[in-house]
Amino acid sequence: MADRSSLRRLRFELNGQWREATVEPQVLLADFIRNHLGLKGTRKSCEVQICGACTVLVNGRPVSSCMTPAFEIDNKSVMTIEGLAQGDNLHPIQQAFWQEGGLECGYCTSGMILTAYALLSENPDPSEEEIKHCLSGNICRCTGYVPIIAAIKRAAYLMRSDTTAILSLPQSDERRTDGPAKIRGEAIYTADLVRPGMLYGKILRSPLPHAIIKNIDATAAEKLPGVVTVLTRDDLRDINPYFGPLVKDQTILAFDRVRYEGDPVAAVAAVSEEIAAEALGLIHVAYEELKPLLSIDEALADDAPKIHEVTSEHGEKFPGYPSVDEETKKYRNVSFHFGWNKGDIAQGLTESHRVFDNCFYFPKVAHYSLEPHMVLAEWRDETVTLWSSTQHPFLVQQEIAEMFGIAKEKVRIIVPYVGGAYGNKNHTKFEPLATALSRKTRRPVSLSLSTEDTFRTVSKPAMRVRIKTGVSQDGVLIARESVVHVDGGAYSDAGPRVTQKAGYRVHGPYRIQNIKSDAYTVYTNTVPAGAFRGMGTPQVVWAYESQMDMIADELGLDPVEFRLKNLLERGDEFSPGDTPLDCDLKEGLLRVAREIGWSETQEPDCGIGVSCALKDGGGNYKISDAFRGYGGDRPGIEYGAAKNCRPRTRSCCRENRACSPGHLAHAARLRHLRKQRHDCYGTRGPKSSTGHQNSAHRWRQKLDRPSRCELRAG
């Protein structure tokens, strides 16, 4: 706490009203706005002035509040997203963002809208290039910017027209139900929640990629004023600390050794984030460093040390997935194997005119969802409630119950709005750690990771994809053999699921009579790997489509014609037992070729290309489910496992209600939507990269007004 003599007294205009306050000199504007003024629409993400989520306007100019000292607003005006609308009346920019769908998860939306406001205040009719330049300091990880640019163009038109400057809140069913909360800065994310007596958690991470933990001394940290507890491995001896969706090999905190740089070793709960962070520096850990295995080749070497000697067998496994097989057990550092075949691969390759054997490498990638991992745990009377930005509330509920030895109905999981995920919030992450802190302190504990911490939590896996393809003299694919090695990092996490998807899809959307596919999840002393927008699909698509271009070039074939000759047709099986293909891939490829001018002469130094991919809906491991039940005059109850990280699901569920008794007036609209959906995706619809558990919840959203959807597990 700063000396009172160092406090700075401020007078500033906030959203049109003059205010006075005192702040400590080190307080940043984002924290001042969120914590002192209580305006949560200003989001925190990168904290290094890159993403733009924290943008506010100071004297009409966009400012990154995460890097601006609060005392700099003295005698200045400040506008936050809460100051744009007037009551229920939206500003034209907010109206345009809603109309054009210029929002997804909503975490960047406040900053985007305020940046657009500053632009249109100076330039009422900007060009598209000027809009793009203006948005260069604002990152959106969901939309691809196209609807955002369209929204700003519409807003410019609305503000230039004779339309009333402030437009009334529309009630059209055609707009997304989560729109109003997000465009007004009223959407509640996990970081916005506060509970009485809440503590703040911080994690001490390993500085070494592989080492034995000799000793942990937390004495000095425990004596620091404001620290309530320090959690170490010794506090976890009375529970089963292992978790993982398929292979349970990760513990809440490292026990005997650390397995990657960033492995959690201890955690602190204190009355403030600042004190908790200071306490981490007072924890002393003695390590005995071991040789790290940092690549797939190092981990697969015959003399490589085992990264995991044992894994836990307790609890349920992710539904629908096979267990570890005998092929897995042949290798020292392989946690999972998936394989399938059809035809005779050896004969197919022998009969081929040419055989192409290529290896492709894909590096690790960070997801960077703007909202880092967040969880708030409250343990009370042997029950626990968790507010989490998870993509798998029911899996988290199941694992928390198993680990802490309590009934599943005593574990409640609530998912507020999720500020982006893309797979990095799949399955269980830090919910057990927050639960353990709350159980020890008997107080609510909020655990908010920084962006850097999130990068050290999960990644998109590196992959090595070897593909051997046999082709006839006239360019027909005869056989394809593939071996995929997935760098799963130090713990399995979603690696086995990614491996299964990659191995299942690596032959591509082509009619091939002879296929053999093997895929392996490999342990390395690196950041654990999980799903990222496609569950292993982008990596293998890049590999097999690169090889298709290489083959076409070698054989002197046109790449489009080569693909058309081999593409699956409507009614073909993607693999034995899977749903037959119900879309016309060839027509789609021909349309793309026409649109990009494939047959036209290109300008010098200008290139174009094509690729084809097919992403099944889980293959033979389809585990998603949703249904609606009716009972007499009772309203329909929807069951499923959708979360707020898929915000369009909320609007789709609202459309689903249009078929229920009492809502038949909307049936024509629903039929229209179904036709549009079939035209785009075929009868199966778009496929999610996230497998939802076959569990149930009741949607609590009311039809008469937009509201936050609360998920209750169980």
Side-chain angles (χ1 to χ4, degrees):
M1 182 67 67
D3 187 274
R4 291 191 61 84
S5 62
S6 67
L7 295 177
R8 303 288 293 269
R9 187 167 185 82
L10 309 178
R11 186 174 185 272
F12 57 97
E13 185 183 20
L14 176 67
N15 296 330
Q17 295 185 349
W18 283 93
R19 302 278 295 270
E20 292 185 354
T22 56
V23 297
E24 298 175 3
Q26 74 275 14
V27 173
L28 296 171
L29 182 56
D31 295 321
F32 178 68
I33 291 172
R34 288 178 55 81
N35 302 331
H36 295 254
L37 302 178
L39 300 177
K40 303 295 187 179
T42 301
R43 309 296 175 192
K44 292 179 63 178
S45 179
C46 72
E47 300 186 81
V48 289
Q49 203 171 351
I50 291 177
C51 71
C54 67
T55 299
V56 298
L57 303 184
V58 177
N59 285 349
R61 306 292 298 174
V63 167
S64 295
S65 61
C66 71
M67 293 289 286
T68 303
F71 63 76
E72 289 191 4
I73 66 171
D74 191 29
N75 292 316
K76 296 177 182 177
S77 67
V78 179
M79 175 182 282
T80 68
I81 189 65
E82 290 86 354
L84 204 54
Q86 296 183 7
D88 286 342
N89 296 323
L90 294 176
H91 188 277
I93 299 176
Q94 294 170 309
Q95 172 81 358
F97 266 73
W98 197 12
Q99 290 173 328
E100 295 290 342
L103 63 137
E104 274 289 338
C105 76
Y107 211 77
C108 73
T109 304
S110 298
M112 288 284 184
I113 289 175
L114 290 173
T115 299
Y117 180 92
L119 169 66
L120 298 181
S121 296
E122 292 187 358
N123 183 356
D125 190 14
S127 66
E128 183 165 322
E129 288 304 313
E130 288 172 325
I131 293 173
K132 291 179 179 178
H133 178 74
C134 174
L135 296 178
S136 62
N138 293 75
I139 293 176
C140 176
R141 297 285 288 116
C142 300
T143 65
Y145 296 93
V146 173
I148 293 174
I149 293 171
I152 295 175
K153 289 180 178 179
R154 177 184 285 268
Y157 170 78
L158 292 174
M159 294 173 70
R160 293 194 313 271
S161 69
D162 295 331
T163 307
T164 304
I166 303 297
L167 303 175
S168 297
L169 184 71
Q171 297 294 332
S172 171
D173 285 337
E174 298 182 18
R175 293 184 178 88
R176 292 172 47 157
T177 59
D178 59 345
K182 291 176 178 177
I183 60 180
R184 297 167 65 96
E186 296 174 352
I188 302 299
Y189 299 85
T190 305
D192 302 327
L193 302 172
V194 177
R195 298 290 295 166
M198 189 174 80
L199 302 173
Y200 298 87
K202 289 291 182 182
I203 302 170
L204 179 68
R205 294 177 176 269
S206 167
L208 301 172
H210 200 194
I212 295 173
I213 301 174
K214 305 294 288 184
N215 183 57
I216 301 175
D217 184 359
T219 306
E222 291 170 334
K223 293 179 179 179
L224 183 68
V227 169
V228 177
T229 194
V230 177
L231 190 78
T232 68
R233 58 189 178 180
D234 293 333
D235 297 299
L236 307 174
R237 304 292 184 185
D238 62 331
I239 64 171
N240 193 320
Y242 287 90
F243 63 94
L246 186 62
V247 181
K248 297 186 183 296
D249 53 12
Q250 188 165 6
T251 51
I252 298 174
L253 295 171
F255 266 53
D256 58 332
R257 66 177 66 186
V258 293
R259 293 178 171 86
Y260 75 100
E261 184 180 345
D263 212 349
V265 176
V268 173
V271 296
S272 73
E273 288 190 272
E274 294 78 13
I275 293 174
E278 182 182 353
L280 295 183
L282 301 177
I283 302 174
H284 301 288
V285 184
Y287 297 101
E288 178 185 324
E289 193 167 358
L290 302 174
K291 177 186 176 181
L293 306 176
L294 302 178
S295 70
I296 291 172
D297 286 333
E298 290 179 357
L300 292 178
D302 292 338
D303 60 348
K306 293 187 71 172
I307 293 177
H308 287 273
E309 294 291 340
V310 296
T311 60
S312 176
E313 295 296 328
H314 85 284
E316 298 179 36
K317 305 294 174 63
F318 199 88
Y321 272 72
S323 299
V324 174
D325 62 8
E326 292 303 315
E327 179 70 13
T328 302
K329 298 174 184 177
K330 294 179 182 178
Y331 304 92
R332 298 177 64 79
N333 288 308
V334 168
S335 68
F336 182 79
H337 163 261
F338 171 81
W340 77 281
N341 60 81
K342 74 172 185 177
D344 188 327
I345 189 65
Q347 181 178 343
L349 291 173
T350 301
E351 295 175 352
S352 298
H353 172 66
R354 291 278 303 273
V355 175
F356 296 83
D357 191 349
N358 304 104
C359 199
F360 303 88
Y361 300 87
F362 194 98
K364 281 185 180 263
V365 178
H367 300 71
Y368 188 38
S369 54
L370 289 187
E371 178 201 34
H373 289 83
M374 306 280 180
V375 59
L376 168 59
E378 185 169 356
W379 183 284
R380 180 182 298 176
D381 299 328
E382 301 307 308
T383 65
V384 62
T385 301
L386 293 111
W387 294 261
S388 174
S389 57
T390 180
Q391 291 179 258
H392 277 102
F394 300 101
L395 180 65
V396 172
Q397 180 201 35
Q398 172 184 305
E399 291 209 287
I400 292 293
E402 291 170 353
M403 296 169 72
F404 289 88
I406 57 179
K408 191 155 62 172
E409 58 268 22
K410 292 190 175 184
V411 182
R412 186 185 185 194
I413 310 296
I414 300 173
V415 183
Y417 282 111
V418 177
Y422 329 120
N424 73 334
K425 296 171 184 173
N426 272 0
H427 311 123
T428 304
K429 290 295 186 289
F430 288 103
E431 292 84 3
L433 178 54
T435 300
L437 283 168
S438 183
R439 184 183 76 143
K440 186 176 180 182
T441 61
R442 292 301 195 265
R443 291 170 64 175
V445 177
S446 173
L447 190 60
S448 299
L449 271 62
S450 66
T451 297
E452 180 182 347
D453 270 339
T454 294
F455 284 7
R456 294 194 291 174
T457 296
V458 65
S459 67
K460 185 175 187 174
M463 271 193 202
R464 182 175 67 200
V465 183
R466 182 179 179 181
I467 304 177
K468 184 186 294 186
T469 301
V471 190
S472 71
Q473 190 168 2
D474 59 350
V476 174
L477 300 177
I478 302 298
R480 175 163 285 174
E481 182 178 14
S482 59
V483 179
V484 179
H485 287 104
V486 177
D487 184 344
Y491 301 102
S492 294
D493 199 84
R497 297 192 61 214
V498 173
T499 300
Q500 184 272 323
K501 304 295 186 187
Y504 188 75
R505 297 163 178 164
V506 69
H507 64 286
Y510 301 108
R511 183 180 289 175
I512 306 174
Q513 296 304 314
N514 305 287
I515 294 173
K516 185 176 190 302
S517 175
D518 287 287
Y520 302 85
T521 310
V522 181
Y523 284 125
T524 62
N525 292 120
T526 62
V527 175
F532 185 1
R533 282 181 163 168
M535 290 289 252
T537 306
Q539 296 98 315
V540 296
V541 169
W542 173 73
Y544 67 65
E545 284 301 276
S546 294
Q547 191 189 56
M548 290 292 285
D549 282 339
M550 296 161 69
I551 295 173
D553 183 64
E554 281 286 320
L555 298 181
L557 301 174
D558 179 87
V560 170
E561 294 299 325
F562 177 44
R563 287 172 169 84
L564 287 171
K565 182 176 289 189
N566 291 284
L567 277 172
L568 291 166
E569 296 185 355
R570 191 191 301 270
D572 285 347
E573 281 187 330
F574 181 70
S575 73
D578 201 354
T579 309
L581 191 68
D582 62 356
C583 59
D584 192 334
L585 293 174
K586 294 184 177 180
E587 173 60 24
L589 177 56
L590 287 171
R591 287 182 61 184
V592 168
R594 287 195 299 268
E595 290 292 331
I596 66 175
W598 181 259
S599 60
E600 300 171 7
T601 302
Q602 301 301 315
E603 296 290 333
D605 300 323
C606 178
I608 57 175
V610 297
S611 65
C612 299
L614 178 63
K615 181 174 182 290
D616 64 280
N620 295 318
Y621 301 97
K622 293 180 175 69
I623 54 178
S624 300
D625 195 14
F627 62 91
R628 183 177 179 87
Y630 300 100
D633 296 329
R634 295 178 60 197
I637 299 175
E638 295 164 6
Y639 297 91
K643 292 84 55 187
N644 286 317
C645 60
R646 298 200 179 275
R648 286 179 180 167
T649 307
R650 295 159 53 84
S651 296
C652 291
C653 288
R654 187 171 180 176
E655 292 294 345
N656 186 29
R657 294 188 186 95
C659 283
S660 63
H663 294 89
L664 295 180
H666 296 288
R669 166 65 181 161
L670 189 64
R671 284 195 296 271
H672 175 63
L673 286 176
R674 282 176 174 164
K675 181 179 184 302
Q676 288 181 324
R677 185 169 179 261
H678 183 276
D679 291 344
C680 293
Y681 302 110
T683 57
R684 285 187 291 171
K687 296 307 178 187
S688 163
S689 64
T690 303
H692 304 313
Q693 287 189 264
N694 189 10
S695 302
H697 74 265
R698 179 178 298 188
W699 287 92
R700 299 173 62 110
Q701 182 186 19
K702 295 183 180 179
L703 281 173
D704 57 349
R705 62 181 176 85
S707 63
R708 180 167 62 88
C709 177
E710 175 183 282
L711 300 183
R712 177 172 181 172

